[in-house]
Amino acid sequence: MAAGLPEFGKVVVFGTGLIGGSFALGLKEAGAVEEVVGFGRTPATLRSAQELGVIDRAGINPAHEIGDADIVLVATPVAQMPEIFSRIAPYLGPKTIVTDGGSTKGDVVAAARAAFGERVAQFVPAHPIAGAENSGPAAARWDLYQGKKVVVTPLPENPDDALDHVKRAWAQCGADIYELTPEMHDRVFAAVSHLPHLLSFALVHDLAVRPDADLFFTFAASGFRDFTRIAASHPEMWRDICLANRDALLGELDSYRAQLDELRAALAADDGSRLEEIFGIARQARRNWAG
């Protein structure tokens, strides 16, 4: 790379909303990219992304954009990724690196292997841990990844330079980079991300379908707001995540149900000591995590 030039030439982003759009804006803010080309499901979304400066122009045909791209980020709901991988696979240039922003990795890796075949070494899976309940190009922020974690889950086939390419891109956005295997990633995030979303959706749904739902929401305060904030997240995206990581999530849900059963038994038995013991362990763990 010549002195003074951006680290990346063309970056192509499929999905110009919160995740993909913030990636584009982060690279732009760092002066690390020459051009960002966006693909999306509707012309209106792409027009909005261009008007907001998220992308420089909208892509029309992957055949014209992928071959000379340095990085292709697929930042759509995970269920859409297999089709996108298949669309772009024939046009990969020899130096094009594909990555993703999906919240599950086992299914995404399987889709990439099916689509890219012998060229799967050019796919480096990743997951930025910086979501929010808002979506669309207007939700994109240049600083979304500042100080946030991005988990890269490299494949055995990935050469060091491809892995470094993806790490450098996220680092330019201000992220702290971590590595996990795809299997460990899905196990961890079933517990600390996917299960909390499932529980939050379940609680809000339970109240929302009651005949006197308005009464409950009228008196809901900060505790309810904090616990249920993530229930405002994108339903389609979280449907796909839950189904994609179904096995690990079912295991975590069973474990949580056992915990609820223990709490119910203690409550039914008027066992304040056991309730306090459980609450105390949880409180200390939460305080330790929060620093």
Side-chain angles (χ1 to χ4, degrees):
M1 183 179 68
L5 291 179
E7 185 164 355
F8 305 103
K10 181 198 288 187
V11 170
V12 176
V13 177
F14 284 82
T16 57
L18 178 71
I19 299 302
S22 296
F23 180 78
L25 289 177
L27 292 177
K28 285 172 172 278
E29 178 68 18
V33 63
E34 292 181 13
E35 180 184 40
V36 177
V37 179
F39 284 85
R41 286 196 288 184
T42 67
T45 297
L46 292 174
R47 281 196 300 272
S48 175
Q50 189 166 354
E51 290 168 0
L52 292 167
V54 174
I55 61 175
D56 297 308
R57 59 184 177 86
I60 298 174
N61 189 339
H64 301 151
E65 306 292 354
I66 302 302
D68 62 344
D70 285 342
I71 293 179
V72 177
L73 170 66
V74 182
T76 65
V78 290
Q80 297 175 25
M81 291 185 184
E83 187 271 335
I84 293 173
F85 291 163
S86 295
R87 282 171 58 198
I88 67 176
Y91 311 115
L92 291 183
K95 296 184 179 179
T96 300
I97 303 301
V98 182
T99 187
D100 77 298
S103 296
T104 54
K105 294 275 75 82
D107 60 314
V108 172
V109 169
R113 290 190 181 282
F116 300 134
E118 294 180 355
R119 303 190 71 178
V120 75
Q122 292 176 245
F123 176 70
V124 180
H127 175 201
I129 318 303
E133 60 270 24
N134 299 317
S135 58
R141 295 171 16 212
W142 72 266
D143 62 345
L144 180 68
Y145 302 117
Q146 293 284 317
K148 300 297 178 58
K149 297 179 177 68
V150 169
V151 180
V152 180
T153 62
L155 307 179
E157 296 92 339
N158 290 147
D160 289 343
D161 59 345
L163 180 58
D164 184 62
H165 208 55
V166 170
K167 287 182 175 181
R168 285 292 305 149
W170 286 112
Q172 288 281 17
C173 294
D176 299 325
I177 314 301
Y178 294 78
E179 282 192 34
L180 291 173
T181 65
E183 296 77 15
M184 182 57 73
H185 169 281
D186 286 355
R187 178 184 167 198
V188 168
F189 283 92
V192 300
S193 176
H194 308 162
L195 179 64
H197 277 81
L198 197 70
L199 301 178
S200 184
F201 282 125
L203 176 59
V204 177
H205 178 267
D206 176 50
L207 297 181
V209 298
R210 296 185 187 187
D212 51 354
D214 289 345
L215 178 65
F216 287 92
F217 286 115
T218 295
F219 292 101
S222 59
F224 181 83
R225 181 178 62 247
D226 293 345
F227 183 74
T228 62
R229 175 187 61 80
I230 53 178
S233 300
H234 199 293
E236 179 187 6
M237 180 181 76
W238 280 99
R239 174 203 66 193
D240 291 350
I241 290 170
C242 289
L243 292 175
N245 204 22
R246 182 181 60 182
D247 291 344
L249 184 53
L250 283 171
E252 293 300 331
L253 188 58
D254 287 344
S255 178
Y256 192 80
R257 289 177 66 180
Q259 180 73 89
L260 289 178
D261 287 343
E262 183 175 2
L263 288 170
R264 190 186 189 286
L267 191 60
D270 199 25
D271 188 349
S273 296
R274 181 56 181 151
L275 289 175
E276 185 175 357
E277 179 185 6
I278 293 171
F279 296 167
I281 292 171
R283 178 196 192 199
Q284 190 60 52
R286 179 62 171 79
R287 286 188 168 186
N288 291 344
W289 172 72

